[in-house]
Amino acid sequence: MSAASRISLLATFGLLAMTAVWGSTFVLIKGVVDRMPVADFLAVRFVVAAVVMFALFHRQVARLARRQLWRGVVLGVMYGLGQLLQTWGLSLISPSVSGFVTGMYVVFTPILATLLLRQRMPVVVWLAVGMATLGLALLSLNGLSVDTGVWLTLASALLYGLHIVALGHWSRADEAFGLSAVQMAVIALVCLLATAGHGGPVLPPDRSAWIAVLYMALVAGAGAMLMQTWAQAHLPATRAAIVMTTEPVFAAGFAVVFGSDVLTWRMLCGGGLVLAAMYLVELMPRRKTEPPAEAIHHEV
């Protein structure tokens, strides 16, 4: 095996491990937000992650041009709002449903790219949207109504899709670390502002909550961002997309294993349709043209 092949294989496993970490956070977050306010949890999580990122990459931040700094602010605001909506939604629905609905960002991304960047959207994408919608109906419909948590999570997925499109359009490989640190700081600020109504963030209530928050800040936050940045420098976007679409599968798997959810036929069928839609969106339009690796980003 050549050196390039070994690095590519290592990057694939690194990205898969990072996606598994993202999937594991749905159950952990559900447990923490049952004991402390959503905005407070996110504020503590991202402040810790931002401090670590700036300690590591303050020199890269200082080298960013003013335009990139402002772009980092815009990206951070979008992602911070997405995090707030996603976590509020998760406090109202099960981790498995939240994982699959969050994964809809993969379907929203090409639609937003078409509308904002005038990129052509293949017919197969419309098929994927229909499949994903049916899958979401199986996962989340209660009679003829949709839970508020699903709507909040769907709105967060839309913001994640917008973040992906903007980041893919604005990011540069040599500025990835500095831009990531700026985004992390702005995400922390957005979450802190969300706690202003009750006088600032409440700290995690006990040791287990602190362990979960630190894990999500350092491993699923700062660590995952570093791994994603490194891995996607060595992988084509299609392979990265295939790996990252396993996030909702990991989320559902962890939820079932840890007893937060029970495996049902609706979960299998609905989740399968959403995953199939993700693969259609990511694989079929890119068979002929491979976009830059920077075009796919997600969880902080």
Side-chain angles (χ1 to χ4, degrees), residues 48-278:
V48 172
V51 169
V52 171
M53 291 291 286
F54 262 83
L56 292 173
F57 303 118
H58 58 277
R59 291 186 179 88
Q60 287 86 342
V61 172
R63 288 198 290 266
L64 290 176
R66 181 176 296 181
R67 172 181 288 187
Q68 285 299 85
L69 285 171
W70 278 111
R71 287 173 171 176
V73 169
V74 173
L75 290 166
V77 169
M78 287 190 291
Y79 201 89
L81 292 175
Q83 280 286 311
L84 286 168
L85 290 172
Q86 180 190 6
T87 311
W88 275 324
L90 177 56
S91 69
L92 302 173
I93 57 178
S94 69
S96 60
V97 173
S98 178
F100 281 110
V101 178
T102 300
M104 282 292 291
Y105 73 86
V106 183
V107 177
F108 287 139
T109 298
I111 298 175
L112 291 168
T114 299
L115 295 174
L116 300 177
L117 303 179
R118 304 297 177 89
Q119 296 177 0
R120 182 182 177 187
M121 186 165 65
V123 174
V124 71
V125 175
W126 292 110
L127 175 61
V129 171
M131 291 172 60
T133 302
L134 179 59
L136 284 173
L138 284 173
L139 278 166
S140 55
L141 275 180
N142 291 325
L144 295 177
S145 64
V146 177
D147 292 339
T148 302
V150 172
W151 287 116
L152 290 171
T153 309
L154 198 60
S156 77
L158 184 62
L159 281 170
Y160 288 148
L162 186 60
H163 179 268
I164 291 168
V165 172
L167 185 60
H169 190 59
W170 288 341
S171 65
R172 299 175 183 175
D174 59 337
E175 297 176 339
F177 292 109
L179 192 62
S180 296
V182 172
Q183 289 181 80
M184 192 74 77
V186 175
I187 293 167
L189 180 60
V190 168
C191 295
L192 279 171
L193 289 175
T195 71
H198 54 266
V202 174
L203 297 178
D206 51 47
R207 180 182 177 185
S208 62
W210 267 112
I211 291 173
V213 168
L214 291 175
Y215 168 79
M216 284 178 277
L218 301 178
V219 180
M225 178 169 286
L226 294 176
M227 175 57 74
Q228 182 183 5
T229 303
W230 177 82
Q232 289 197 215
H234 301 282
L235 291 175
T238 298
R239 187 185 301 178
I242 293 171
V243 176
M244 292 172 70
T245 53
T246 59
E247 181 186 355
V249 178
F250 281 120
F254 280 114
V256 171
V257 168
F258 289 110
S260 297
D261 283 323
V262 177
L263 190 64
T264 64
W265 73 267
R266 288 180 62 150
M267 186 186 296
L268 288 172
C269 295
L273 283 169
V274 173
L275 282 178
M278 293 177 190

Side-chain angles (χ1 to χ4, degrees), residues 10-23:
L10 184 61
T12 299
F13 279 113
L15 201 59
L16 183 64
M18 179 204 68
T19 307
V21 167
W22 285 347

